[in-house]
Amino acid sequence: MDLRAGITTIAIILGLCALLVARNGTRTLQAARKLTFYRLRRSRITSAWWMFSGALLLMILAILVPTVGTPIAFRIFPPSPTVAPTLTPSIVPTITLSPTITLTPTITDTPLVTDTPTGTSTPYLPIAIEAGFISVVTPNPDAVISPLQFGTSIKNSVLEFPSTLIRNPIPRMYAFFSYDGMLPGSQWTAVWYRNGEYVFHESYPWDGGTGGYYYSECVSPAGGWLAGNYSVQIYVGVVFKRAGSFTVEGEAPATPKATLTPTPAITP
């Protein structure tokens, strides 16, 4: 169970306790109204109201724990970055059929050109971006970047409502991640693509700590937030570390065009 699930479980338990205490208070109040002795009836009514107060306090705690307690818990116990597991391919044996009749070919066509399939290469940092590096600190090759999450707002250092489907209008986008083993001052880069074409990047010396949370922010990509498939690639130095993707739907807001005001010309 992770930290967020534990906080949610505590909130649910507090809510159930509040309902149970309120139920007992209701029964005590109903029973007190049937008593004939004034002091005993008054004592039972007081106890019932104390139960209602306790139920209200438990309900308030059940609401505050997930809303206020989650950011505080993440600050005290920062989660370690999640490393994606490496899948080991397994070879499935096939059944070889032995032919009963062998046909002898008469003419074999030999192709002049043989197409050799190529594998998918690892993403690389564009040379134009690498030429703009200003850091002199050697990056840590063992630095780890967690899977990317995408959203349009961050509150209390936590991404709100992460999703891979974003609808226009979009004020700004965040590629949110956790990290570990980063060296302050080392160069890092985030490159944004739309349908495989470059639209934005940011690259500067790392100004965070050695571990925690960070994000890449994109306000206005080239051409605006047009509908399409977007991807973000994270590099530490020139080494590719992590990539993630999301989809934008809907028409992008129209960009206002500048109006040119003609100036009068003096003719001699």
Side-chain angles (χ1 to χ4, degrees):
M1 179 183 293
D2 58 3
L3 187 59
R4 190 183 298 274
I7 293 175
T8 304
T9 303
I10 293 174
I12 293 174
I13 293 175
L14 289 174
L16 293 177
C17 291
L19 294 177
L20 183 61
V21 173
R23 180 170 174 268
N24 291 338
T26 303
R27 288 187 173 184
T28 303
L29 185 63
Q30 292 176 351
R33 292 176 178 177
K34 298 178 181 180
L35 297 176
T36 57
F37 298 99
Y38 175 77
R39 289 188 177 181
L40 185 57
R41 183 174 65 254
R42 190 65 179 176
S43 176
R44 293 290 180 85
I45 293 176
T46 303
S47 300
W49 283 111
W50 275 110
M51 291 182 185
F52 289 143
S53 300
L56 179 61
L57 179 60
L58 289 174
M59 187 60 68
I60 294 174
L61 290 176
I63 297 174
L64 291 179
V65 164
T67 56
V68 180
T70 300
I72 297 175
F74 276 119
R75 289 184 180 180
I76 299 176
F77 305 102
S80 58
T82 303
V83 180
T86 302
L87 300 179
T88 303
S90 58
I91 301 176
V92 180
T94 58
I95 300 174
T96 303
L97 300 177
S98 300
T100 57
I101 300 176
T102 303
L103 300 177
T104 303
T106 57
I107 300 176
T108 303
D109 294 331
T110 304
L112 297 177
V113 180
T114 302
D115 294 331
T116 302
T118 58
T120 303
S121 59
T122 302
Y124 63 91
L125 186 66
I127 298 178
I129 298 177
E130 182 182 352
F133 281 9
I134 61 175
S135 174
V136 295
V137 178
T138 302
N140 180 14
D142 297 327
V144 179
I145 302 296
S146 72
L148 305 183
Q149 293 182 320
F150 300 96
T152 58
S153 63
I154 291 179
K155 184 178 181 180
N156 296 327
S157 302
V158 177
L159 183 69
E160 290 188 312
F161 313 114
S163 177
T164 56
L165 179 60
I166 310 297
R167 301 183 185 276
N168 271 310
I170 299 174
R172 66 189 67 234
M173 279 295 299
Y174 296 97
F176 192 80
F177 57 88
S178 60
Y179 64 92
D180 189 27
M182 293 291 291
L183 295 179
S186 60
Q187 194 82 17
W188 84 286
T189 306
V191 187
W192 295 61
Y193 295 92
R194 176 178 59 237
N195 297 330
E197 296 183 359
Y198 165 87
V199 292
F200 174 76
H201 85 275
E202 57 179 345
S203 180
Y204 52 86
W206 183 259
D207 56 0
T210 57
Y213 291 104
Y214 210 80
Y215 59 84
S216 173
E217 178 183 4
C218 180
V219 178
S220 180
W225 290 110
L226 301 178
N229 297 321
Y230 289 73
S231 63
V232 180
Q233 298 174 0
I234 304 296
Y235 297 84
V236 177
V238 296
V239 179
F240 170 75
K241 289 295 182 179
R242 184 69 67 177
S245 60
F246 62 96
T247 303
V248 172
E249 290 186 349
E251 295 184 1
T255 303
K257 298 182 179 180
T259 302
L260 300 179
T261 304
T263 57
I266 300 176
T267 304

